[in-house]
Amino acid sequence: MFRDTSVACDGLGGLMRRNGIRVAVRALVLPFILLVAACDDQTPKSSDSVSRPVKLFAVGELQQSRILRFPGSVSAVQQSDMAFEVSGRIVEMPVTEGDKVKAGTVLAKLDPRDYEAQRASARAERNAARADFSRYNKAFKARAVTPQQLDLARRALEVAEANLKQADKAVDDTILRAHFTGRVARKLVDDFANVQAKQPIMILQSDDALEMKVQISEIDSVGYRPVDSAADIADELDVKVIISSLPDTPIPARITAFSGTADPITRTFEVTVGFEPPEGVSVSPGMTGHVAYTPQVAPAVDGLLIPAKAVVAAPNSQPFVWRFDTDKGTVTRRSIEIGKLTGDSIQVISGLEVGDRIAVSGVHSLSEGFPVHPLED
């Protein structure tokens, strides 16, 4: 700034002396020098690379490392919205929520008096039609009536009998019984409520057999042999159901149904997995969890299988992977020769050996000799 600092300082000192202020020039110059020195010290310094956590894959252990998990919720294999076939007022509901009932157990009753009166009327009409038909039949044998008159009496009797059957059924329908053995999950109406025909009054669920519906992506659904039904694959996969509140208790399960068409929006396939709760464990519909299984992948011919996401393309289009050096804690580039793509795995013909550990996460941000450490699951 100043070509001659001594002149500048003398001028400043003379100005201060002229104002009668006794301030040493050194007191003003020293802070300025320290400030300049501090600015010079703020030069950028290179920092050492920090070890980054990455997910590693052990070559040759594809089956053990590819455990697929799909979230879902528990539902009953059998569930019915129980409802009367006729309208009326509830006069009895002997069960409550949570009760376990057997097939045929009475769940609720309606006031049957109106329907009993209708049945009595229908029975009287049937009896009258029966008497008329008997009289016309005798008259026909005596050739006192025509065949057409006898047919009219027969049809009247048939209509009366049909009306009586319908009246009998209406009386029976005032009693609601369980269709199967299960548990009353929820009551939907109050006691003594007036209900309409087909109006659900309670939900009955089976609790001895449960299921979980999950959505499988397209990439996880391909690569398996075609089957005629779910029974053909029931024993091929090691399927487990894990309830969120019981993470340490995997429950053996089996695929009971699957959709053959993908959802048009999510592009996923619905798979139903059935299971039975283990003894001493209470599992109820509505609980959350997930289905876990290891897909059956055919071994590669003349090579190994690795996750396709571990492969990176060099600028010259040469595929490579990042091999983890256990001793140094770093990754090194390893060129490979790839083969056939199978699902989300790819065949490696050369460049890797069984036991090599390669990075399968963050592969596009790594570099030669970059320090990493295994990411724990």
Side-chain angles (χ1 to χ4, degrees):
M1 294 176 60
F2 300 106
R3 295 182 180 178
D4 193 342
T5 57
S6 60
V7 174
C9 292
D10 289 341
L12 180 61
L15 178 61
M16 290 181 178
R17 283 193 297 271
R18 284 194 297 270
N19 293 332
I21 301 175
R22 301 290 184 176
V23 180
V25 176
R26 186 180 303 172
L28 293 176
V29 178
L30 183 58
F32 178 79
I33 296 175
L34 294 178
L35 178 62
V36 173
C39 293
D40 292 339
D41 289 340
Q42 293 180 359
T43 56
K45 296 181 180 179
S46 60
S47 58
D48 296 335
S49 298
V50 179
S51 177
R52 177 184 302 173
V54 296
K55 188 175 181 180
L56 299 177
F57 170 78
V59 178
E61 298 181 2
L62 185 63
Q63 294 297 325
Q64 289 74 14
S65 62
R66 292 188 68 245
I67 299 178
L68 304 182
R69 296 175 175 84
F70 303 97
S73 60
V74 179
S75 59
V77 174
Q78 285 184 298
Q79 176 171 311
S80 178
D81 293 340
M82 305 301 297
F84 288 102
E85 296 292 329
V86 294
S87 303
R89 182 175 63 88
I90 297 176
V91 294
E92 185 178 348
M93 194 179 293
V95 297
T96 187
E97 293 180 353
D99 287 352
K100 188 170 185 178
V101 297
K102 294 182 179 180
T105 301
V106 175
L107 303 177
K109 292 182 179 180
L110 295 178
D111 187 347
R113 290 176 295 180
D114 291 343
Y115 297 103
E116 288 174 346
Q118 293 173 10
R119 181 175 63 178
S121 176
R123 183 179 291 112
E125 293 178 0
R126 190 279 311 269
N127 292 341
R130 182 180 291 175
D132 289 344
F133 174 76
S134 178
R135 186 168 54 253
Y136 272 93
N137 191 33
K138 291 179 181 180
F140 176 75
K141 291 179 180 180
R143 298 186 178 183
V145 296
T146 63
Q148 291 80 4
Q149 290 175 311
L150 180 62
D151 288 339
L152 288 175
R154 180 183 292 109
R155 286 198 293 270
L157 175 59
E158 291 174 351
V159 170
E161 288 178 340
N163 290 337
L164 179 58
K165 287 182 179 179
Q166 187 175 1
D168 284 336
K169 182 180 182 301
V171 173
D172 292 340
D173 287 342
T174 60
I175 301 177
L176 184 62
R177 302 178 185 274
H179 303 323
F180 53 87
T181 299
R183 192 177 299 275
V184 178
R186 184 181 303 173
K187 291 173 61 176
L188 304 176
V189 298
D190 297 329
D191 295 345
F192 308 107
N194 287 302
V195 296
Q196 301 298 318
K198 307 293 185 180
Q199 176 185 348
I201 66 167
M202 66 178 62
I203 299 175
L204 183 66
Q205 295 177 334
S206 61
D207 60 352
D208 55 345
L210 302 172
E211 63 185 17
M212 182 177 289
K213 297 181 184 295
V214 296
Q215 302 298 320
I216 308 297
S217 64
E218 290 179 339
I219 193 171
D220 292 321
S221 64
V222 299
Y224 301 101
R225 68 178 182 84
V227 295
D228 295 330
S229 66
D232 296 338
I233 58 177
D235 299 326
E236 292 184 2
L237 300 178
D238 183 20
V239 181
K240 305 288 185 183
V241 168
I242 293 90
I243 307 300
S244 299
S245 56
L246 300 169
D248 300 325
T249 308
I251 304 173
R254 63 193 180 281
I255 295 178
T256 58
F258 60 89
S259 62
T261 304
D263 185 277
I265 298 177
T266 62
R267 308 308 305 171
T268 57
F269 296 82
E270 184 177 81
V271 175
T272 303
V273 176
F275 66 97
E276 296 179 1
E279 273 187 55
V281 176
S282 178
V283 179
S284 302
M287 290 184 174
T288 60
H290 66 270
V291 172
Y293 78 97
T294 301
Q296 301 291 329
V297 180
V301 179
D302 299 329
L304 301 167
L305 284 178
I306 65 171
K309 61 183 179 181
V311 181
V312 187
N316 60 355
S317 299
Q318 172 65 38
F320 70 90
V321 295
W322 293 110
R323 180 181 178 277
F324 177 64
D325 189 326
T326 306
D327 296 332
K328 297 180 180 179
T330 59
V331 291
T332 56
R333 178 181 298 189
R334 178 67 64 88
S335 297
I336 59 173
E337 181 182 357
I338 59 176
K340 183 179 179 181
L341 181 67
T342 305
D344 58 353
S345 303
I346 194 167
Q347 178 187 8
V348 177
I349 300 175
S350 63
L352 290 175
E353 297 179 357
V354 175
D356 286 344
R357 302 172 72 189
I358 60 175
V360 293
S361 66
V363 294
H364 296 287
S365 60
L366 299 178
S367 58
E368 185 71 23
F370 198 95
V372 299
H373 59 274
L375 174 65
E376 300 295 337
D377 291 335

